[in-house]
Amino acid sequence: MSSYEAELVIERREFAADGVLALTLRHPLGEELPVWEPGAHIDVVLGAGLERQYSLCGDPADRGAWRIAVLREPDGRGGSSYVHGHLGVGDQVRVRGPRNHFALAPAPRYRFVAGGIGITPILPMLAAAQAAGAEWTLLYGGRTRDSMAFTEELERYGGRVRVAPQDECGLLDLDPVLTGVPEGTLVYCCGPGPLLDAVEARCPAGLLRVERFQPKAQERGGDGEFEVELARSGRTLTVPADVSVLDTVRGAGVEVLFSCTEGTCGTCETDVLEGTPDHRDSVLTDEEREAGETMLICVSRCLGKRLVLDL
């Protein structure tokens, strides 16, 4: 996990589509920014208790600038409205990261599916797949063509990309893309929950990588209290039934990185030294959950009476 944190200045502010604002960020002193790979996101601290995660959608080879794109959501929790209404060229914002729970694994073939603002982590993946000489296609949906960001940038890929606005084409036709994919193909999908659910229903788990902007409904274990031992701090705490591990740890004065508190960003991922986590996040893969070596302490709990964490 990157520990980079800095104040960056907004160098460019432009609309990538109706309701989608793209911001280019640079260090005010011209310093190089940390290396990142496709799928990575950063935390952006917006003040007044607002902190949001945005995928990096520029060129990973450009160490001088980071680009993010923010969809205005009038019914959201306030982050996008703040970005659209208050941030301009020359303003500074505090960022942390980058982190990556949606990394592009090597493969001979890819199927990419994006919905709406879900194009942002996918965009640099396309360039990486192209540079690697992999076979790939992108199916990209949205409400209207004007609402779909970066369509002009996608034109350079020609027939590999299908742009399918809902008002012109209806709901995305996933079956031709996901049925009978050749062995060795990886499927990457990002977008609204119903799209991800539809893709998951058509794709074997081992081939699929998804990133969610909203928490996925999870099967829950018990909500009883349990103990958590903090190996590095030498403390044992009781986690009440109605309090998260994160809040319990912070309430005891132990510092830990966190951000979304919804199990979607991965910032609070913590190593598990003993015990079995009750995973309730929307980040870890099935294999990572089964291994039980880490957990997201903002939402996940314990399938027993005790956990030992590397805190």
Side-chain angles (χ1 to χ4, degrees), residues 41-61:
H41 71 264
I42 57 173
D43 303 329
V44 180
V45 181
L46 302 172
L50 291 175
E51 184 173 321
R52 298 293 183 265
Q53 292 72 46
Y54 298 112
S55 297
L56 293 171
C57 56
D59 179 3

Side-chain angles (χ1 to χ4, degrees), residues 208-219:
L208 178 62
R209 310 286 190 274
V210 302
E211 182 168 68
R212 292 181 177 269
F213 296 135
Q214 300 294 330
K216 181 182 179 181
Q218 304 285 344
E219 294 184 9

Side-chain angles (χ1 to χ4, degrees), residues 13-28:
R13 182 186 194 274
E14 57 188 344
F15 280 92
D18 287 350
V20 179
L21 182 63
L23 301 178
T24 300
L25 310 175
R26 290 188 182 272
H27 194 281

Side-chain angles (χ1 to χ4, degrees), residues 176-253:
V177 176
L178 300 179
T179 301
V181 295
E183 185 177 351
T185 304
L186 292 181
V187 179
Y188 279 79
C189 180
C190 185
L195 172 62
L196 299 186
D197 293 342
V199 171
E200 286 182 337
R202 290 167 169 80
C203 192
L207 303 181
L208 178 62
R209 310 286 190 274
V210 302
E211 182 168 68
R212 292 181 177 269
F213 296 135
Q214 300 294 330
K216 181 182 179 181
Q218 304 285 344
E219 294 184 9
R220 300 170 66 91
D223 283 327
E225 72 174 33
F226 57 93
E227 286 190 345
V228 58
E229 179 183 334
L230 310 182
R232 283 189 279 124
S233 302
R235 304 183 63 177
T236 298
L237 308 173
T238 297
V239 181
D242 58 348
V243 180
S244 69
V245 176
L246 173 64
D247 287 344
T248 300
V249 169
R250 294 184 65 232

Side-chain angles (χ1 to χ4, degrees), residues 245-263:
V245 176
L246 173 64
D247 287 344
T248 300
V249 169
R250 294 184 65 232
V254 177
E255 292 188 7
V256 59
L257 286 177
F258 71 98
S259 184
C260 73
T261 69
E262 294 182 325

Side-chain angles (χ1 to χ4, degrees), residues 81-299:
S81 294
Y82 184 93
V83 171
H84 279 249
H86 293 85
L87 295 184
V89 172
D91 289 340
Q92 290 193 351
V93 291
R94 177 157 290 274
V95 304
R96 291 196 296 262
R99 301 182 184 87
N100 200 341
H101 288 275
F102 193 45
L104 185 68
R109 286 171 296 277
Y110 299 97
R111 299 289 183 269
F112 297 104
V113 181
I117 197 63
I119 190 63
T120 51
I122 298 293
L123 195 61
M125 292 185 179
L126 306 183
Q130 184 87 344
E135 298 177 20
W136 64 270
T137 62
L138 166 66
L139 178 61
Y140 178 23
R143 291 179 293 103
T144 66
R145 190 174 296 271
D146 287 344
S147 73
M148 298 170 67
F150 305 119
T151 52
E152 290 186 2
E153 292 187 25
L154 293 171
E155 289 177 358
R156 63 185 172 122
Y157 296 120
R160 290 177 181 260
V161 174
R162 183 181 175 222
V163 175
Q166 186 174 345
D167 64 338
E168 299 175 21
C169 307
L171 295 176
L172 287 181
D173 188 3
L174 298 172
D175 289 334
V177 176
L178 300 179
T179 301
V181 295
E183 185 177 351
T185 304
L186 292 181
V187 179
Y188 279 79
C189 180
C190 185
L195 172 62
L196 299 186
D197 293 342
V199 171
E200 286 182 337
R202 290 167 169 80
C203 192
L207 303 181
L208 178 62
R209 310 286 190 274
V210 302
E211 182 168 68
R212 292 181 177 269
F213 296 135
Q214 300 294 330
K216 181 182 179 181
Q218 304 285 344
E219 294 184 9
R220 300 170 66 91
D223 283 327
E225 72 174 33
F226 57 93
E227 286 190 345
V228 58
E229 179 183 334
L230 310 182
R232 283 189 279 124
S233 302
R235 304 183 63 177
T236 298
L237 308 173
T238 297
V239 181
D242 58 348
V243 180
S244 69
V245 176
L246 173 64
D247 287 344
T248 300
V249 169
R250 294 184 65 232
V254 177
E255 292 188 7
V256 59
L257 286 177
F258 71 98
S259 184
C260 73
T261 69
E262 294 182 325
T264 59
C265 75
T267 304
C268 69
E269 184 175 4
T270 301
D271 288 341
V272 178
L273 304 181
E274 292 182 32
T276 304
D278 175 11
H279 295 292
R280 302 183 183 185
D281 65 274
S282 302
V283 172
L284 299 180
T285 64
D286 290 341
E287 293 79 8
E288 290 169 333
R289 289 169 178 244
E290 185 175 350
E293 296 176 353
T294 68
M295 65 183 288
L296 272 62
I297 61 173
C298 66
V299 292

